Each structure stands twice: as C-alpha cells, then as structure tokens.
Amino acid sequence: MVATDFDAEREYDDERFSARPVFRSDRMKVVLGYFEPGQFIPVHAPDSDVAITVRRGTGVVRDGDDEHAVEPDDVVVVPAGEDRGVRADPGERLEATLVTAPPPTDAEHDPVREGLKRGEFDPSTED
C-alpha cells in the first residue's frame, strides 16, 4: 500500500507549481499539487482522463472551453483528449490531488513545459 498525506509532502516552489508524486503504474498516476497564488499547470490535452480533488485554496480548472471555479472538496473530472489546466487564484495557495489514467506520455507534456517556460496558462490563446 502507498500512503502519504498533504502535510508530509507539502513543498512549494516560488518559480512554478510543485507536483509531488505519490504513485505511478502503467494504468494510473497520482500526484499532490501545490500551487502558489497564480501558479498553474498550462492547458494541454493528453490522451488520459484526470480527476482533480481540491483540498485547500481556490482556483480554476479548465475543461475543454469551460473554466470551473474550484474550492476545497470540489472534484472535477476532465476526459481524455479535452483541453485541461489548473490555476490557483491570485492571493491564495491551492492544494489538490491529481489522478490521471493512464499516465500522460512525455510528449503529451510538451505543451506543459512550453507554457511554463513562456509563463502562459493557455499557450494556444496567449501571444
């Protein structure tokens, strides 16, 4: 059994969101996400489902063309192939569990790396 808790894993990074791995198999990946105010996972559309459960703070989860305001105890599921991203609200930290199935490939995370490098939540719409 794999077990941990948010307090034991908590690690924030001033430069970008922090993803603390909990579990990974060929079928599923579980990470704890820690976001400083305004930090984000850029919009991307991997071929995997994701379930995001907010533990602390507020923010936005992109699901296709929609943005959902989220707060503690909210669960948002975005199906495979849909645009998705997560952003903490300004002025407040966000903590969430992200479960993806199956885990995205390294190539599917290229838009995430590019968006972080350019500081863009949605690289496809920002100049």
Side-chain angles (χ1 to χ4, degrees):
M1 178 177 95
V2 177
T4 191
D5 66 58
F6 275 88
D7 294 331
E9 297 294 331
R10 184 173 288 113
E11 182 176 300
Y12 285 94
D13 183 326
D14 290 338
E15 300 299 315
R16 53 166 267 174
F17 76 95
S18 177
R20 305 290 294 168
V22 174
F23 176 80
R24 184 182 178 106
S25 72
D26 291 341
R27 298 178 310 275
M28 177 176 66
K29 178 174 91 168
V30 179
V31 299
L32 304 181
Y34 299 92
F35 301 78
E36 290 283 8
Q39 288 182 339
F40 54 85
I41 296 173
V43 174
H44 60 299
D47 194 23
S48 59
D49 300 320
V50 65
I52 302 164
T53 304
V54 178
R55 176 177 189 261
R56 181 179 284 171
T58 61
V60 170
V61 173
R62 170 75 64 84
D63 174 4
D65 293 330
D66 298 324
E67 289 192 356
H68 303 279
V70 293
E71 58 187 29
D73 300 325
D74 284 349
V75 178
V76 178
V77 178
V78 182
E82 289 290 323
D83 281 342
R84 66 178 183 228
V86 179
R87 181 177 56 219
D89 283 341
E92 190 165 356
R93 285 178 162 174
L94 176 71
E95 295 180 1
T97 304
L98 296 90
V99 179
T100 55
T105 66
D106 190 54
E108 289 175 316
H109 270 162
D110 283 343
V112 173
R113 286 187 286 276
E114 186 60 30
L116 289 171
K117 185 168 123 181
R118 296 189 334 207
E120 297 173 341
F121 176 60
D122 189 346
S124 69
T125 62
E126 298 185 28
D127 297 327

